[in-house]
Amino acid sequence: MSFLFWLCWIINLLLLVIAILGKGFRSDFGAGVDLNVLLTIVLIAVLAGSLILRYSVKQKWISLVVVALPICLMVIWYVIEKISGKSI
C-alpha cells in the first residue's frame, strides 16, 4: 500500500506541475473560468493533506484515499465523456 500511495502522490505532483505550466493556456482562448487555478489549489491541498494524514493517522488507507481522489475523479470524468460523446 505504501508503493501505491507514493505512486499516486507522484502522479498528483506531476499533474500539479502541468497545471502550473499551462495556467495561461486556457485563458488565451477566451475561457472565462480558469479551471487551472482551481485544479492547482485542489492538488496542493491533496498533496499536503495526504502527507499530513500519512504521518499523523494510524490508518494509512485514509491517506491513500485522499491522494487517489483526483486520479479517480479524472478517470470518472473521462468515462462520462466517452459514454456521452460530448465534452463536459
Side-chain angles (χ1 to χ4, degrees), residues 4-58:
L4 188 59
F5 171 82
W6 288 111
L7 179 68
C8 290
W9 199 86
I10 290 171
I11 290 171
N12 284 337
L13 185 65
L14 293 174
L15 287 172
L16 177 64
V17 169
I18 290 171
I20 290 172
L21 290 176
K23 73 177 185 178
F25 183 74
R26 183 175 162 88
S27 61
D28 287 343
F29 291 105
V33 177
D34 196 10
L35 295 175
N36 286 347
V37 173
L38 180 63
L39 180 64
T40 302
I41 293 169
V42 168
L43 285 173
I44 290 172
V46 164
L47 288 172
S50 65
L51 284 179
I52 291 170
L53 287 173
R54 178 89 176 156
Y55 294 113
S56 66
V57 179
K58 286 187 178 182

Side-chain angles (χ1 to χ4, degrees), residues 61-76:
W61 62 269
I62 296 172
S63 63
L64 180 62
V65 169
V66 170
V67 82
L69 276 175
I71 298 169
C72 291
L73 290 175
M74 286 193 305
V75 168
I76 291 169

